[in-house]
Amino acid sequence: MNNLLKFVACLCLIFSATSCSLESLEDQNSSNFTKMSDATATTFCDNQDPQSRLINNGTIAYTFTIIDIDQNVIEILNVAPGTSSSWSSFNEGQTIFSVDGSANNVSDSKVVLDMSTCTKVEIVINNLNEVNEPIILTLD
């Protein structure tokens, strides 16, 4: 019986080793991948206005305000802890992103960025209620 169990285990190992094959990614036609990503990028960003959102991984609510260079308020969003705002679009140019916490012991933050078309920025609040460096995503 013991030899039968060893034989079955060995047979399973041999079967699983021979049924798998490795294929090199170089063997695949990589132009299909390029065409798909080019089409997505072209369709996704056709001179789109810049966009931004706030991701609140903190423990308190934040007010996220987007202001253009002429001091016009574009959007004010209240973002609860553990959530993120929707993407907000605005005109290109120098933009002020203001993040104000609802607690007195949390320092508010302002970030000024020169935003251009096909650019997105994510502002993230970490679990210590601190504003991280903005994540700038440039779309092709």
Side-chain angles (χ1 to χ4, degrees), residues 85-119:
S85 69
S86 58
W87 287 100
S88 296
S89 295
F90 45 89
N91 292 330
E92 61 183 316
Q94 202 167 42
T95 308
I96 302 167
F97 303 97
S98 175
V99 180
D100 300 319
S102 60
N104 290 338
N105 61 344
V106 175
S107 60
D108 298 334
S109 179
K110 289 188 180 17
V111 177
V112 179
L113 296 173
D114 192 18
M115 300 294 292
S116 59
T117 58
C118 299
T119 304

PDB file of all heavy atoms in Angstrom, residues 85-119:
ATOM      1  N   SER A  85     -12.633  61.452  -3.632  1.00  0.00           N
ATOM      2  CA  SER A  85     -13.554  62.287  -4.392  1.00  0.00           C
ATOM      3  C   SER A  85     -13.626  61.782  -5.828  1.00  0.00           C
ATOM      4  O   SER A  85     -12.793  60.991  -6.260  1.00  0.00           O
ATOM      5  CB  SER A  85     -13.079  63.742  -4.372  1.00  0.00           C
ATOM      6  OG  SER A  85     -11.892  63.881  -5.139  1.00  0.00           O
ATOM      7  N   SER A  86     -14.589  62.277  -6.555  1.00  0.00           N
ATOM      8  CA  SER A  86     -14.639  61.974  -7.980  1.00  0.00           C
ATOM      9  C   SER A  86     -13.599  62.853  -8.681  1.00  0.00           C
ATOM     10  O   SER A  86     -13.088  63.812  -8.105  1.00  0.00           O
ATOM     11  CB  SER A  86     -16.040  62.250  -8.525  1.00  0.00           C
ATOM     12  OG  SER A  86     -16.375  63.604  -8.292  1.00  0.00           O
ATOM     13  N   TRP A  87     -13.296  62.523  -9.929  1.00  0.00           N
ATOM     14  CA  TRP A  87     -12.356  63.329 -10.703  1.00  0.00           C
ATOM     15  C   TRP A  87     -13.036  64.650 -11.067  1.00  0.00           C
ATOM     16  O   TRP A  87     -14.164  64.665 -11.525  1.00  0.00           O
ATOM     17  CB  TRP A  87     -11.936  62.603 -11.974  1.00  0.00           C
ATOM     18  CG  TRP A  87     -10.997  61.465 -11.720  1.00  0.00           C
ATOM     19  CD1 TRP A  87     -11.312  60.142 -11.659  1.00  0.00           C
ATOM     20  CD2 TRP A  87      -9.594  61.547 -11.479  1.00  0.00           C
ATOM     21  NE1 TRP A  87     -10.189  59.406 -11.402  1.00  0.00           N
ATOM     22  CE2 TRP A  87      -9.125  60.236 -11.286  1.00  0.00           C
ATOM     23  CE3 TRP A  87      -8.691  62.602 -11.410  1.00  0.00           C
ATOM     24  CZ2 TRP A  87      -7.784  59.956 -11.033  1.00  0.00           C
ATOM     25  CZ3 TRP A  87      -7.358  62.315 -11.155  1.00  0.00           C
ATOM     26  CH2 TRP A  87      -6.910  61.010 -10.968  1.00  0.00           C
ATOM     27  N   SER A  88     -12.346  65.753 -10.869  1.00  0.00           N
ATOM     28  CA  SER A  88     -12.840  67.074 -11.233  1.00  0.00           C
ATOM     29  C   SER A  88     -12.005  67.614 -12.383  1.00  0.00           C
ATOM     30  O   SER A  88     -10.780  67.572 -12.343  1.00  0.00           O
ATOM     31  CB  SER A  88     -12.731  68.037 -10.054  1.00  0.00           C
ATOM     32  OG  SER A  88     -13.555  67.612  -9.006  1.00  0.00           O
ATOM     33  N   SER A  89     -12.681  68.122 -13.409  1.00  0.00           N
ATOM     34  CA  SER A  89     -11.996  68.710 -14.566  1.00  0.00           C
ATOM     35  C   SER A  89     -11.945  70.217 -14.427  1.00  0.00           C
ATOM     36  O   SER A  89     -12.836  70.835 -13.850  1.00  0.00           O
ATOM     37  CB  SER A  89     -12.743  68.356 -15.855  1.00  0.00           C
ATOM     38  OG  SER A  89     -12.691  66.975 -16.083  1.00  0.00           O
ATOM     39  N   PHE A  90     -10.908  70.818 -14.993  1.00  0.00           N
ATOM     40  CA  PHE A  90     -10.740  72.261 -14.954  1.00  0.00           C
ATOM     41  C   PHE A  90      -9.841  72.674 -16.105  1.00  0.00           C
ATOM     42  O   PHE A  90      -9.229  71.834 -16.761  1.00  0.00           O
ATOM     43  CB  PHE A  90     -10.163  72.714 -13.606  1.00  0.00           C
ATOM     44  CG  PHE A  90      -9.015  71.866 -13.125  1.00  0.00           C
ATOM     45  CD1 PHE A  90      -7.713  72.181 -13.479  1.00  0.00           C
ATOM     46  CD2 PHE A  90      -9.246  70.748 -12.346  1.00  0.00           C
ATOM     47  CE1 PHE A  90      -6.657  71.397 -13.048  1.00  0.00           C
ATOM     48  CE2 PHE A  90      -8.195  69.962 -11.911  1.00  0.00           C
ATOM     49  CZ  PHE A  90      -6.895  70.277 -12.257  1.00  0.00           C
ATOM     50  N   ASN A  91      -9.766  73.971 -16.354  1.00  0.00           N
ATOM     51  CA  ASN A  91      -8.941  74.487 -17.444  1.00  0.00           C
ATOM     52  C   ASN A  91      -7.459  74.341 -17.104  1.00  0.00           C
ATOM     53  O   ASN A  91      -7.077  74.355 -15.931  1.00  0.00           O
ATOM     54  CB  ASN A  91      -9.257  75.951 -17.730  1.00  0.00           C
ATOM     55  CG  ASN A  91     -10.641  76.119 -18.321  1.00  0.00           C
ATOM     56  OD1 ASN A  91     -11.143  75.241 -19.016  1.00  0.00           O
ATOM     57  ND2 ASN A  91     -11.264  77.253 -18.041  1.00  0.00           N
ATOM     58  N   GLU A  92      -6.653  74.241 -18.158  1.00  0.00           N
ATOM     59  CA  GLU A  92      -5.216  74.119 -17.940  1.00  0.00           C
ATOM     60  C   GLU A  92      -4.651  75.433 -17.412  1.00  0.00           C
ATOM     61  O   GLU A  92      -5.270  76.486 -17.529  1.00  0.00           O
ATOM     62  CB  GLU A  92      -4.514  73.692 -19.225  1.00  0.00           C
ATOM     63  CG  GLU A  92      -4.636  74.633 -20.386  1.00  0.00           C
ATOM     64  CD  GLU A  92      -3.981  74.081 -21.625  1.00  0.00           C
ATOM     65  OE1 GLU A  92      -2.865  73.551 -21.535  1.00  0.00           O
ATOM     66  OE2 GLU A  92      -4.585  74.190 -22.696  1.00  0.00           O
ATOM     67  N   GLY A  93      -3.480  75.353 -16.817  1.00  0.00           N
ATOM     68  CA  GLY A  93      -2.819  76.521 -16.251  1.00  0.00           C
ATOM     69  C   GLY A  93      -2.451  76.269 -14.804  1.00  0.00           C
ATOM     70  O   GLY A  93      -2.635  75.176 -14.264  1.00  0.00           O
ATOM     71  N   GLN A  94      -1.934  77.281 -14.175  1.00  0.00           N
ATOM     72  CA  GLN A  94      -1.533  77.158 -12.777  1.00  0.00           C
ATOM     73  C   GLN A  94      -2.774  76.974 -11.910  1.00  0.00           C
ATOM     74  O   GLN A  94      -3.734  77.742 -12.017  1.00  0.00           O
ATOM     75  CB  GLN A  94      -0.738  78.372 -12.344  1.00  0.00           C
ATOM     76  CG  GLN A  94       0.132  78.112 -11.155  1.00  0.00           C
ATOM     77  CD  GLN A  94       1.134  79.220 -10.948  1.00  0.00           C
ATOM     78  OE1 GLN A  94       0.790  80.396 -11.091  1.00  0.00           O
ATOM     79  NE2 GLN A  94       2.355  78.875 -10.608  1.00  0.00           N
ATOM     80  N   THR A  95      -2.750  75.958 -11.066  1.00  0.00           N
ATOM     81  CA  THR A  95      -3.919  75.587 -10.269  1.00  0.00           C
ATOM     82  C   THR A  95      -3.499  75.390  -8.815  1.00  0.00           C
ATOM     83  O   THR A  95      -2.439  74.827  -8.534  1.00  0.00           O
ATOM     84  CB  THR A  95      -4.548  74.288 -10.812  1.00  0.00           C
ATOM     85  OG1 THR A  95      -4.778  74.441 -12.214  1.00  0.00           O
ATOM     86  CG2 THR A  95      -5.856  73.968 -10.128  1.00  0.00           C
ATOM     87  N   ILE A  96      -4.346  75.838  -7.895  1.00  0.00           N
ATOM     88  CA  ILE A  96      -4.102  75.676  -6.457  1.00  0.00           C
ATOM     89  C   ILE A  96      -5.034  74.579  -5.949  1.00  0.00           C
ATOM     90  O   ILE A  96      -6.246  74.622  -6.186  1.00  0.00           O
ATOM     91  CB  ILE A  96      -4.375  76.987  -5.693  1.00  0.00           C
ATOM     92  CG1 ILE A  96      -3.491  78.110  -6.242  1.00  0.00           C
ATOM     93  CG2 ILE A  96      -4.166  76.787  -4.192  1.00  0.00           C
ATOM     94  CD1 ILE A  96      -3.905  79.491  -5.776  1.00  0.00           C
ATOM     95  N   PHE A  97      -4.460  73.618  -5.250  1.00  0.00           N
ATOM     96  CA  PHE A  97      -5.234  72.554  -4.622  1.00  0.00           C
ATOM     97  C   PHE A  97      -5.123  72.758  -3.114  1.00  0.00           C
ATOM     98  O   PHE A  97      -4.043  72.683  -2.546  1.00  0.00           O
ATOM     99  CB  PHE A  97      -4.687  71.186  -5.020  1.00  0.00           C
ATOM    100  CG  PHE A  97      -4.667  70.964  -6.507  1.00  0.00           C
ATOM    101  CD1 PHE A  97      -3.513  71.185  -7.238  1.00  0.00           C
ATOM    102  CD2 PHE A  97      -5.803  70.555  -7.179  1.00  0.00           C
ATOM    103  CE1 PHE A  97      -3.488  70.994  -8.607  1.00  0.00           C
ATOM    104  CE2 PHE A  97      -5.797  70.363  -8.551  1.00  0.00           C
ATOM    105  CZ  PHE A  97      -4.633  70.585  -9.267  1.00  0.00           C
ATOM    106  N   SER A  98      -6.245  73.022  -2.480  1.00  0.00           N
ATOM    107  CA  SER A  98      -6.277  73.290  -1.045  1.00  0.00           C
ATOM    108  C   SER A  98      -6.928  72.109  -0.336  1.00  0.00           C
ATOM    109  O   SER A  98      -8.019  71.671  -0.711  1.00  0.00           O
ATOM    110  CB  SER A  98      -7.063  74.568  -0.781  1.00  0.00           C
ATOM    111  OG  SER A  98      -7.192  74.783   0.604  1.00  0.00           O
ATOM    112  N   VAL A  99      -6.247  71.608   0.699  1.00  0.00           N
ATOM    113  CA  VAL A  99      -6.745  70.480   1.484  1.00  0.00           C
ATOM    114  C   VAL A  99      -6.849  70.945   2.926  1.00  0.00           C
ATOM    115  O   VAL A  99      -5.838  71.255   3.562  1.00  0.00           O
ATOM    116  CB  VAL A  99      -5.797  69.260   1.365  1.00  0.00           C
ATOM    117  CG1 VAL A  99      -6.313  68.098   2.174  1.00  0.00           C
ATOM    118  CG2 VAL A  99      -5.603  68.873  -0.090  1.00  0.00           C
ATOM    119  N   ASP A 100      -8.093  71.029   3.439  1.00  0.00           N
ATOM    120  CA  ASP A 100      -8.340  71.520   4.788  1.00  0.00           C
ATOM    121  C   ASP A 100      -8.971  70.413   5.621  1.00  0.00           C
ATOM    122  O   ASP A 100     -10.042  69.906   5.278  1.00  0.00           O
ATOM    123  CB  ASP A 100      -9.276  72.736   4.758  1.00  0.00           C
ATOM    124  CG  ASP A 100      -8.700  73.874   3.945  1.00  0.00           C
ATOM    125  OD1 ASP A 100      -7.489  74.120   4.063  1.00  0.00           O
ATOM    126  OD2 ASP A 100      -9.453  74.501   3.185  1.00  0.00           O
ATOM    127  N   GLY A 101      -8.309  70.076   6.742  1.00  0.00           N
ATOM    128  CA  GLY A 101      -8.821  69.044   7.636  1.00  0.00           C
ATOM    129  C   GLY A 101      -9.864  69.582   8.578  1.00  0.00           C
ATOM    130  O   GLY A 101      -9.887  70.763   8.905  1.00  0.00           O
ATOM    131  N   SER A 102     -10.745  68.682   9.041  1.00  0.00           N
ATOM    132  CA  SER A 102     -11.830  69.094   9.931  1.00  0.00           C
ATOM    133  C   SER A 102     -11.407  69.162  11.394  1.00  0.00           C
ATOM    134  O   SER A 102     -12.170  69.609  12.233  1.00  0.00           O
ATOM    135  CB  SER A 102     -13.020  68.134   9.782  1.00  0.00           C
ATOM    136  OG  SER A 102     -12.624  66.815  10.125  1.00  0.00           O
ATOM    137  N   ALA A 103     -10.185  68.743  11.714  1.00  0.00           N
ATOM    138  CA  ALA A 103      -9.701  68.788  13.100  1.00  0.00           C
ATOM    139  C   ALA A 103      -8.708  69.942  13.251  1.00  0.00           C
ATOM    140  O   ALA A 103      -7.942  70.250  12.328  1.00  0.00           O
ATOM    141  CB  ALA A 103      -9.032  67.474  13.473  1.00  0.00           C
ATOM    142  N   ASN A 104      -8.715  70.575  14.409  1.00  0.00           N
ATOM    143  CA  ASN A 104      -7.837  71.719  14.653  1.00  0.00           C
ATOM    144  C   ASN A 104      -6.367  71.340  14.700  1.00  0.00           C
ATOM    145  O   ASN A 104      -5.503  72.156  14.386  1.00  0.00           O
ATOM    146  CB  ASN A 104      -8.232  72.421  15.960  1.00  0.00           C
ATOM    147  CG  ASN A 104      -9.562  73.129  15.824  1.00  0.00           C
ATOM    148  OD1 ASN A 104      -9.987  73.455  14.725  1.00  0.00           O
ATOM    149  ND2 ASN A 104     -10.216  73.355  16.945  1.00  0.00           N
ATOM    150  N   ASN A 105      -6.055  70.113  15.123  1.00  0.00           N
ATOM    151  CA  ASN A 105      -4.656  69.721  15.276  1.00  0.00           C
ATOM    152  C   ASN A 105      -4.030  69.217  13.971  1.00  0.00           C
ATOM    153  O   ASN A 105      -2.893  68.781  13.956  1.00  0.00           O
ATOM    154  CB  ASN A 105      -4.516  68.659  16.361  1.00  0.00           C
ATOM    155  CG  ASN A 105      -5.292  67.390  16.036  1.00  0.00           C
ATOM    156  OD1 ASN A 105      -6.157  67.387  15.160  1.00  0.00           O
ATOM    157  ND2 ASN A 105      -4.987  66.319  16.741  1.00  0.00           N
ATOM    158  N   VAL A 106      -4.764  69.298  12.858  1.00  0.00           N
ATOM    159  CA  VAL A 106      -4.252  68.860  11.561  1.00  0.00           C
ATOM    160  C   VAL A 106      -3.949  70.095  10.727  1.00  0.00           C
ATOM    161  O   VAL A 106      -4.778  70.989  10.592  1.00  0.00           O
ATOM    162  CB  VAL A 106      -5.302  67.967  10.839  1.00  0.00           C
ATOM    163  CG1 VAL A 106      -4.830  67.619   9.442  1.00  0.00           C
ATOM    164  CG2 VAL A 106      -5.567  66.717  11.646  1.00  0.00           C
ATOM    165  N   SER A 107      -2.721  70.131  10.196  1.00  0.00           N
ATOM    166  CA  SER A 107      -2.359  71.303   9.396  1.00  0.00           C
ATOM    167  C   SER A 107      -2.949  71.211   7.993  1.00  0.00           C
ATOM    168  O   SER A 107      -2.993  70.138   7.399  1.00  0.00           O
ATOM    169  CB  SER A 107      -0.841  71.449   9.326  1.00  0.00           C
ATOM    170  OG  SER A 107      -0.272  70.302   8.742  1.00  0.00           O
ATOM    171  N   ASP A 108      -3.427  72.342   7.516  1.00  0.00           N
ATOM    172  CA  ASP A 108      -3.986  72.415   6.168  1.00  0.00           C
ATOM    173  C   ASP A 108      -2.829  72.511   5.178  1.00  0.00           C
ATOM    174  O   ASP A 108      -1.715  72.878   5.531  1.00  0.00           O
ATOM    175  CB  ASP A 108      -4.910  73.621   6.042  1.00  0.00           C
ATOM    176  CG  ASP A 108      -6.094  73.531   6.998  1.00  0.00           C
ATOM    177  OD1 ASP A 108      -6.460  72.408   7.371  1.00  0.00           O
ATOM    178  OD2 ASP A 108      -6.639  74.578   7.370  1.00  0.00           O
ATOM    179  N   SER A 109      -3.124  72.194   3.931  1.00  0.00           N
ATOM    180  CA  SER A 109      -2.076  72.170   2.928  1.00  0.00           C
ATOM    181  C   SER A 109      -2.568  72.783   1.631  1.00  0.00           C
ATOM    182  O   SER A 109      -3.737  72.638   1.275  1.00  0.00           O
ATOM    183  CB  SER A 109      -1.643  70.724   2.700  1.00  0.00           C
ATOM    184  OG  SER A 109      -0.643  70.657   1.722  1.00  0.00           O
ATOM    185  N   LYS A 110      -1.656  73.460   0.947  1.00  0.00           N
ATOM    186  CA  LYS A 110      -1.954  73.998  -0.377  1.00  0.00           C
ATOM    187  C   LYS A 110      -0.832  73.556  -1.313  1.00  0.00           C
ATOM    188  O   LYS A 110       0.339  73.640  -0.971  1.00  0.00           O
ATOM    189  CB  LYS A 110      -2.054  75.517  -0.342  1.00  0.00           C
ATOM    190  CG  LYS A 110      -3.304  75.994   0.378  1.00  0.00           C
ATOM    191  CD  LYS A 110      -3.494  77.469   0.235  1.00  0.00           C
ATOM    192  CE  LYS A 110      -4.712  78.033   0.913  1.00  0.00           C
ATOM    193  NZ  LYS A 110      -5.391  77.309   1.902  1.00  0.00           N
ATOM    194  N   VAL A 111      -1.222  73.101  -2.494  1.00  0.00           N
ATOM    195  CA  VAL A 111      -0.271  72.677  -3.509  1.00  0.00           C
ATOM    196  C   VAL A 111      -0.574  73.478  -4.768  1.00  0.00           C
ATOM    197  O   VAL A 111      -1.728  73.586  -5.176  1.00  0.00           O
ATOM    198  CB  VAL A 111      -0.414  71.164  -3.795  1.00  0.00           C
ATOM    199  CG1 VAL A 111       0.505  70.725  -4.900  1.00  0.00           C
ATOM    200  CG2 VAL A 111      -0.188  70.343  -2.534  1.00  0.00           C
ATOM    201  N   VAL A 112       0.454  74.059  -5.376  1.00  0.00           N
ATOM    202  CA  VAL A 112       0.297  74.815  -6.619  1.00  0.00           C
ATOM    203  C   VAL A 112       1.009  74.037  -7.718  1.00  0.00           C
ATOM    204  O   VAL A 112       2.199  73.736  -7.605  1.00  0.00           O
ATOM    205  CB  VAL A 112       0.888  76.234  -6.500  1.00  0.00           C
ATOM    206  CG1 VAL A 112       0.735  76.988  -7.806  1.00  0.00           C
ATOM    207  CG2 VAL A 112       0.232  76.988  -5.359  1.00  0.00           C
ATOM    208  N   LEU A 113       0.260  73.695  -8.769  1.00  0.00           N
ATOM    209  CA  LEU A 113       0.819  72.951  -9.895  1.00  0.00           C
ATOM    210  C   LEU A 113       0.420  73.611 -11.200  1.00  0.00           C
ATOM    211  O   LEU A 113      -0.674  74.158 -11.313  1.00  0.00           O
ATOM    212  CB  LEU A 113       0.313  71.504  -9.891  1.00  0.00           C
ATOM    213  CG  LEU A 113       0.720  70.628  -8.706  1.00  0.00           C
ATOM    214  CD1 LEU A 113       0.002  69.297  -8.766  1.00  0.00           C
ATOM    215  CD2 LEU A 113       2.223  70.419  -8.692  1.00  0.00           C
ATOM    216  N   ASP A 114       1.303  73.539 -12.175  1.00  0.00           N
ATOM    217  CA  ASP A 114       0.990  74.014 -13.520  1.00  0.00           C
ATOM    218  C   ASP A 114       0.424  72.824 -14.280  1.00  0.00           C
ATOM    219  O   ASP A 114       1.154  71.896 -14.632  1.00  0.00           O
ATOM    220  CB  ASP A 114       2.238  74.558 -14.203  1.00  0.00           C
ATOM    221  CG  ASP A 114       1.910  75.315 -15.471  1.00  0.00           C
ATOM    222  OD1 ASP A 114       0.741  75.716 -15.645  1.00  0.00           O
ATOM    223  OD2 ASP A 114       2.815  75.507 -16.294  1.00  0.00           O
ATOM    224  N   MET A 115      -0.876  72.830 -14.491  1.00  0.00           N
ATOM    225  CA  MET A 115      -1.566  71.693 -15.095  1.00  0.00           C
ATOM    226  C   MET A 115      -1.769  71.921 -16.589  1.00  0.00           C
ATOM    227  O   MET A 115      -2.115  73.019 -17.009  1.00  0.00           O
ATOM    228  CB  MET A 115      -2.922  71.492 -14.411  1.00  0.00           C
ATOM    229  CG  MET A 115      -2.830  71.213 -12.919  1.00  0.00           C
ATOM    230  SD  MET A 115      -2.045  69.638 -12.535  1.00  0.00           S
ATOM    231  CE  MET A 115      -3.278  68.508 -13.142  1.00  0.00           C
ATOM    232  N   SER A 116      -1.536  70.873 -17.375  1.00  0.00           N
ATOM    233  CA  SER A 116      -1.738  70.958 -18.819  1.00  0.00           C
ATOM    234  C   SER A 116      -2.746  69.898 -19.250  1.00  0.00           C
ATOM    235  O   SER A 116      -3.164  69.064 -18.443  1.00  0.00           O
ATOM    236  CB  SER A 116      -0.411  70.760 -19.548  1.00  0.00           C
ATOM    237  OG  SER A 116       0.136  69.497 -19.225  1.00  0.00           O
ATOM    238  N   THR A 117      -3.131  69.948 -20.510  1.00  0.00           N
ATOM    239  CA  THR A 117      -4.089  68.960 -21.007  1.00  0.00           C
ATOM    240  C   THR A 117      -3.518  67.564 -20.831  1.00  0.00           C
ATOM    241  O   THR A 117      -2.306  67.372 -20.800  1.00  0.00           O
ATOM    242  CB  THR A 117      -4.418  69.200 -22.494  1.00  0.00           C
ATOM    243  OG1 THR A 117      -3.207  69.148 -23.234  1.00  0.00           O
ATOM    244  CG2 THR A 117      -5.117  70.520 -22.711  1.00  0.00           C
ATOM    245  N   CYS A 118      -4.411  66.600 -20.708  1.00  0.00           N
ATOM    246  CA  CYS A 118      -4.055  65.183 -20.562  1.00  0.00           C
ATOM    247  C   CYS A 118      -3.226  64.910 -19.313  1.00  0.00           C
ATOM    248  O   CYS A 118      -2.379  64.022 -19.298  1.00  0.00           O
ATOM    249  CB  CYS A 118      -3.347  64.666 -21.808  1.00  0.00           C
ATOM    250  SG  CYS A 118      -4.355  64.779 -23.298  1.00  0.00           S
ATOM    251  N   THR A 119      -3.438  65.690 -18.268  1.00  0.00           N
ATOM    252  CA  THR A 119      -2.733  65.481 -17.003  1.00  0.00           C
ATOM    253  C   THR A 119      -3.747  65.291 -15.892  1.00  0.00           C
ATOM    254  O   THR A 119      -4.741  66.002 -15.819  1.00  0.00           O
ATOM    255  CB  THR A 119      -1.830  66.688 -16.683  1.00  0.00           C
ATOM    256  OG1 THR A 119      -0.935  66.907 -17.761  1.00  0.00           O
ATOM    257  CG2 THR A 119      -1.037  66.463 -15.418  1.00  0.00           C
TER     258      THR A 119
END
